[in-house]
PDB file of all heavy atoms in Angstrom:
ATOM      1  N   LYS A  48     136.962 191.503  10.341  1.00 79.00           N
ATOM      2  CA  LYS A  48     136.487 191.315   9.036  1.00 79.00           C
ATOM      3  C   LYS A  48     135.016 191.328   9.022  1.00 79.00           C
ATOM      4  O   LYS A  48     134.303 190.874   9.992  1.00 79.00           O
ATOM      5  CB  LYS A  48     136.912 190.047   8.436  1.00 79.00           C
ATOM      6  CG  LYS A  48     138.495 189.929   8.155  1.00 79.00           C
ATOM      7  CD  LYS A  48     138.930 188.553   7.650  1.00 79.00           C
ATOM      8  CE  LYS A  48     140.378 188.529   7.395  1.00 79.00           C
ATOM      9  NZ  LYS A  48     140.888 187.221   6.857  1.00 79.00           N
ATOM     10  N   THR A  49     134.346 191.740   7.836  1.00 79.00           N
ATOM     11  CA  THR A  49     132.897 191.651   7.807  1.00 79.00           C
ATOM     12  C   THR A  49     132.560 190.442   7.046  1.00 79.00           C
ATOM     13  O   THR A  49     133.024 190.100   5.875  1.00 79.00           O
ATOM     14  CB  THR A  49     132.476 192.900   7.029  1.00 79.00           C
ATOM     15  OG1 THR A  49     132.832 194.004   7.707  1.00 79.00           O
ATOM     16  CG2 THR A  49     131.005 192.948   6.994  1.00 79.00           C
ATOM     17  N   TYR A  50     131.452 189.726   7.503  1.00 82.00           N
ATOM     18  CA  TYR A  50     131.000 188.516   6.926  1.00 82.00           C
ATOM     19  C   TYR A  50     129.548 188.679   6.476  1.00 82.00           C
ATOM     20  O   TYR A  50     128.772 189.072   7.384  1.00 82.00           O
ATOM     21  CB  TYR A  50     131.209 187.300   7.917  1.00 82.00           C
ATOM     22  CG  TYR A  50     132.621 186.909   8.141  1.00 82.00           C
ATOM     23  CD1 TYR A  50     133.344 187.608   9.179  1.00 82.00           C
ATOM     24  CD2 TYR A  50     133.336 185.947   7.390  1.00 82.00           C
ATOM     25  CE1 TYR A  50     134.640 187.286   9.390  1.00 82.00           C
ATOM     26  CE2 TYR A  50     134.570 185.649   7.696  1.00 82.00           C
ATOM     27  CZ  TYR A  50     135.313 186.359   8.613  1.00 82.00           C
ATOM     28  OH  TYR A  50     136.587 185.993   8.849  1.00 82.00           O
ATOM     29  N   VAL A  51     129.204 188.254   5.324  1.00 82.00           N
ATOM     30  CA  VAL A  51     127.992 188.410   4.817  1.00 82.00           C
ATOM     31  C   VAL A  51     127.144 187.035   4.816  1.00 82.00           C
ATOM     32  O   VAL A  51     127.860 186.060   4.318  1.00 82.00           O
ATOM     33  CB  VAL A  51     127.897 189.038   3.387  1.00 82.00           C
ATOM     34  CG1 VAL A  51     126.437 189.158   2.849  1.00 82.00           C
ATOM     35  CG2 VAL A  51     128.556 190.407   3.330  1.00 82.00           C
ATOM     36  N   SER A  52     126.070 186.952   5.326  1.00 79.00           N
ATOM     37  CA  SER A  52     125.280 185.622   5.336  1.00 79.00           C
ATOM     38  C   SER A  52     124.906 185.134   4.016  1.00 79.00           C
ATOM     39  O   SER A  52     124.688 185.882   3.066  1.00 79.00           O
ATOM     40  CB  SER A  52     124.040 185.772   6.265  1.00 79.00           C
ATOM     41  OG  SER A  52     123.044 186.545   5.620  1.00 79.00           O
ATOM     42  N   ALA A  53     124.860 183.806   3.839  1.00 76.00           N
ATOM     43  CA  ALA A  53     124.426 183.293   2.622  1.00 76.00           C
ATOM     44  C   ALA A  53     123.011 183.566   2.271  1.00 76.00           C
ATOM     45  O   ALA A  53     122.598 183.912   1.015  1.00 76.00           O
ATOM     46  CB  ALA A  53     124.602 181.646   2.647  1.00 76.00           C
ATOM     47  N   GLU A  54     122.222 183.818   3.187  1.00 72.00           N
ATOM     48  CA  GLU A  54     120.834 184.356   3.021  1.00 72.00           C
ATOM     49  C   GLU A  54     120.820 185.723   2.291  1.00 72.00           C
ATOM     50  O   GLU A  54     120.059 185.813   1.255  1.00 72.00           O
ATOM     51  CB  GLU A  54     120.146 184.453   4.321  1.00 72.00           C
ATOM     52  CG  GLU A  54     118.681 184.976   4.216  1.00 72.00           C
ATOM     53  CD  GLU A  54     118.003 185.251   5.465  1.00 72.00           C
ATOM     54  OE1 GLU A  54     118.696 185.676   6.500  1.00 72.00           O
ATOM     55  OE2 GLU A  54     116.816 185.117   5.619  1.00 72.00           O
ATOM     56  N   ALA A  55     121.721 186.553   2.691  1.00 73.00           N
ATOM     57  CA  ALA A  55     121.677 187.912   2.098  1.00 73.00           C
ATOM     58  C   ALA A  55     122.271 187.815   0.693  1.00 73.00           C
ATOM     59  O   ALA A  55     121.729 188.499  -0.291  1.00 73.00           O
ATOM     60  CB  ALA A  55     122.693 188.873   2.945  1.00 73.00           C
ATOM     61  N   LEU A  56     123.304 187.022   0.479  1.00 75.00           N
ATOM     62  CA  LEU A  56     123.832 186.853  -0.936  1.00 75.00           C
ATOM     63  C   LEU A  56     122.711 186.352  -1.804  1.00 75.00           C
ATOM     64  O   LEU A  56     122.698 186.725  -2.971  1.00 75.00           O
ATOM     65  CB  LEU A  56     125.062 185.943  -0.811  1.00 75.00           C
ATOM     66  CG  LEU A  56     126.262 186.370  -0.033  1.00 75.00           C
ATOM     67  CD1 LEU A  56     127.350 185.275  -0.138  1.00 75.00           C
ATOM     68  CD2 LEU A  56     126.717 187.655  -0.860  1.00 75.00           C
ATOM     69  N   LYS A  57     121.997 185.320  -1.376  1.00 68.00           N
ATOM     70  CA  LYS A  57     120.857 184.767  -2.269  1.00 68.00           C
ATOM     71  C   LYS A  57     119.980 185.783  -2.540  1.00 68.00           C
ATOM     72  O   LYS A  57     119.457 185.918  -3.701  1.00 68.00           O
ATOM     73  CB  LYS A  57     120.397 183.507  -1.550  1.00 68.00           C
ATOM     74  CG  LYS A  57     121.236 182.293  -1.555  1.00 68.00           C
ATOM     75  CD  LYS A  57     120.647 181.011  -0.882  1.00 68.00           C
ATOM     76  CE  LYS A  57     121.514 179.842  -0.790  1.00 68.00           C
ATOM     77  NZ  LYS A  57     121.007 178.658  -0.225  1.00 68.00           N
ATOM     78  N   ASN A  58     119.490 186.619  -1.520  1.00 65.00           N
ATOM     79  CA  ASN A  58     118.498 187.531  -1.818  1.00 65.00           C
ATOM     80  C   ASN A  58     119.078 188.696  -2.685  1.00 65.00           C
ATOM     81  O   ASN A  58     118.229 189.550  -3.179  1.00 65.00           O
ATOM     82  CB  ASN A  58     117.990 188.117  -0.450  1.00 65.00           C
ATOM     83  CG  ASN A  58     117.154 187.073   0.251  1.00 65.00           C
ATOM     84  OD1 ASN A  58     116.499 186.228  -0.279  1.00 65.00           O
ATOM     85  ND2 ASN A  58     117.056 187.133   1.571  1.00 65.00           N
ATOM     86  N   ALA A  59     120.373 188.866  -2.839  1.00 64.00           N
ATOM     87  CA  ALA A  59     120.958 189.899  -3.639  1.00 64.00           C
ATOM     88  C   ALA A  59     121.085 189.317  -5.056  1.00 64.00           C
ATOM     89  O   ALA A  59     121.439 190.037  -5.973  1.00 64.00           O
ATOM     90  CB  ALA A  59     122.236 190.228  -3.122  1.00 64.00           C
ATOM     91  N   GLY A  60     120.744 188.108  -5.328  1.00 62.00           N
ATOM     92  CA  GLY A  60     120.720 187.515  -6.670  1.00 62.00           C
ATOM     93  C   GLY A  60     122.100 186.671  -6.843  1.00 62.00           C
ATOM     94  O   GLY A  60     122.539 186.527  -8.025  1.00 62.00           O
ATOM     95  N   ILE A  61     122.669 186.213  -5.785  1.00 71.00           N
ATOM     96  CA  ILE A  61     123.843 185.434  -5.864  1.00 71.00           C
ATOM     97  C   ILE A  61     123.540 183.992  -5.526  1.00 71.00           C
ATOM     98  O   ILE A  61     123.057 183.742  -4.372  1.00 71.00           O
ATOM     99  CB  ILE A  61     125.008 185.901  -5.000  1.00 71.00           C
ATOM    100  CG1 ILE A  61     125.377 187.381  -5.290  1.00 71.00           C
ATOM    101  CG2 ILE A  61     126.275 184.936  -5.129  1.00 71.00           C
ATOM    102  CD1 ILE A  61     125.968 187.568  -6.541  1.00 71.00           C
ATOM    103  N   GLY A  62     123.709 183.057  -6.505  1.00 66.00           N
ATOM    104  CA  GLY A  62     123.481 181.657  -6.174  1.00 66.00           C
ATOM    105  C   GLY A  62     124.610 181.122  -5.171  1.00 66.00           C
ATOM    106  O   GLY A  62     125.881 181.480  -5.518  1.00 66.00           O
ATOM    107  N   VAL A  63     124.395 180.398  -4.175  1.00 73.00           N
ATOM    108  CA  VAL A  63     125.388 179.984  -3.251  1.00 73.00           C
ATOM    109  C   VAL A  63     125.147 178.512  -3.078  1.00 73.00           C
ATOM    110  O   VAL A  63     124.025 178.020  -2.730  1.00 73.00           O
ATOM    111  CB  VAL A  63     125.225 180.710  -1.796  1.00 73.00           C
ATOM    112  CG1 VAL A  63     126.274 180.036  -0.920  1.00 73.00           C
ATOM    113  CG2 VAL A  63     125.265 182.162  -1.895  1.00 73.00           C
ATOM    114  N   SER A  64     126.256 177.706  -3.216  1.00 68.00           N
ATOM    115  CA  SER A  64     126.193 176.217  -3.051  1.00 68.00           C
ATOM    116  C   SER A  64     127.557 175.871  -2.492  1.00 68.00           C
ATOM    117  O   SER A  64     128.542 176.399  -2.650  1.00 68.00           O
ATOM    118  CB  SER A  64     125.831 175.468  -4.350  1.00 68.00           C
ATOM    119  OG  SER A  64     126.843 175.667  -5.226  1.00 68.00           O
ATOM    120  N   VAL A  65     127.522 174.630  -1.834  1.00 71.00           N
ATOM    121  CA  VAL A  65     128.676 173.975  -1.231  1.00 71.00           C
ATOM    122  C   VAL A  65     128.840 172.615  -1.696  1.00 71.00           C
ATOM    123  O   VAL A  65     127.866 171.876  -1.613  1.00 71.00           O
ATOM    124  CB  VAL A  65     128.544 174.115   0.250  1.00 71.00           C
ATOM    125  CG1 VAL A  65     129.840 173.532   1.026  1.00 71.00           C
ATOM    126  CG2 VAL A  65     128.499 175.507   0.829  1.00 71.00           C
TER     127      VAL A  65
END
Side-chain angles (χ1 to χ4, degrees):
K48 295 182 179 180
T49 304
Y50 294 84
V51 179
S52 68
E54 179 186 32
L56 292 175
K57 289 180 178 180
N58 290 331
I61 303 294
V63 182
S64 65
V65 179

